[in-house]
Amino acid sequence: MTDPVPTATGPLWIGTSWKMNKGLAEARYYARGLADHLQRTALPGVQPFVIPSFTALAATREELGTDSPVLLGVQNAHWEDEGAWTGEVSVAQAKDAGAQLVEIGHSERREHFGETVATTRLKVAAALRHGLVPLLCIGESDEVKQAGGSSEFILDQAAGALDGLTAEQLRHVLIAYEPIWAIGEHGRPATVSELQEPFAELGREYGSRTAGLLYGGSVNLDNAADLLGIEHVTGLFVGRTAWQLPGYLRLLEIGANHPKAR
């Protein structure tokens, strides 16, 4: 496992969440192909990560191998270590199944499953307690954007989730800015100019204090390099473009060839 704590320059994080997709056979095929590719191809300056569904986590880990440079994550986890929480999976259980990273606070979790700033704070603390990397997702709606409140909104989301962390703990946290208006099948790809101010604010507050600031939202093969070029962006959190292995491998290549990776 690659050390997630940033160096002076830090790695470029290139990762994907499969959301509620892929059965075991598909997961194994993808992971086996990724493992084969990484045995033949070096990715200097790039930290790959993949977040499958819970059911595919162990199989994906098995195909990648224990010495893989790919960090494996889960899309959610409960903050309690154990107890009467029917249907939930704890961070400890996720780690036992092979997870090294926990996605926290995705807008779909906030909208459909009642995720709040308070629960994101509990989950970040739980991930750190068990030695996993918290990947905190933040992002504003189109209504907030149109009102001119994007930066204030996302900084409030981040501050609420990271409240009380020590400087050392914060160094292990990833933040993914995913504006709600730019994500999903019907999302509108953000322009570089639209992202400069939010990342300037995030960079001032967290750029030198966290493991990385990622962008997610309608990332594709045509805009990936430009998005990586935005000041303070140190990675991409990708959906549909990376769900098929060739797309993800091409994104890894784009990251490895980017000036920020050297």
Side-chain angles (χ1 to χ4, degrees), residues 140 178-190 195 215-219:
E140 83 284 14
E178 297 189 299
I180 297 171
W181 47 269
I183 65 175
E185 184 177 0
H186 304 293
R188 174 182 67 78
L195 298 176
Y215 175 72
S218 298
V219 177

Side-chain angles (χ1 to χ4, degrees), residues 129-256:
R129 185 168 67 247
H130 289 282
L132 275 66
V133 177
L135 172 58
L136 175 66
C137 299
I138 58 176
E140 83 284 14
S141 66
D142 188 54
E143 290 76 14
V144 172
K145 179 184 186 305
Q146 295 305 322
S150 295
S151 295
E152 181 180 1
F153 186 90
I154 62 175
L155 286 174
D156 284 347
Q157 280 188 324
L162 305 176
D163 182 48
L165 297 186
T166 66
E168 178 59 27
Q169 289 174 318
L170 198 57
R171 291 180 68 241
H172 294 264
V173 174
L174 290 169
I175 298 176
Y177 172 47
E178 297 189 299
I180 297 171
W181 47 269
I183 65 175
E185 184 177 0
H186 304 293
R188 174 182 67 78
T191 65
V192 168
S193 62
E194 287 178 302
L195 298 176
Q196 286 172 336
E197 181 183 345
F199 272 102
E201 296 296 329
L202 287 170
R204 276 192 285 269
E205 186 65 30
Y206 297 109
S208 62
R209 302 168 62 204
T210 60
L213 299 177
L214 282 56
Y215 175 72
S218 298
V219 177
N220 57 55
L221 300 182
D222 293 326
N223 65 13
D226 289 339
L227 293 170
L228 286 172
I230 297 171
E231 187 176 9
H232 302 297
V233 170
T234 59
L236 300 173
F237 190 25
V238 190
R240 285 169 174 76
T241 297
W243 286 353
Q244 300 302 316
L245 183 58
Y248 185 51
L249 295 181
R250 178 66 183 124
L251 287 165
L252 291 175
E253 180 183 355
I254 290 170

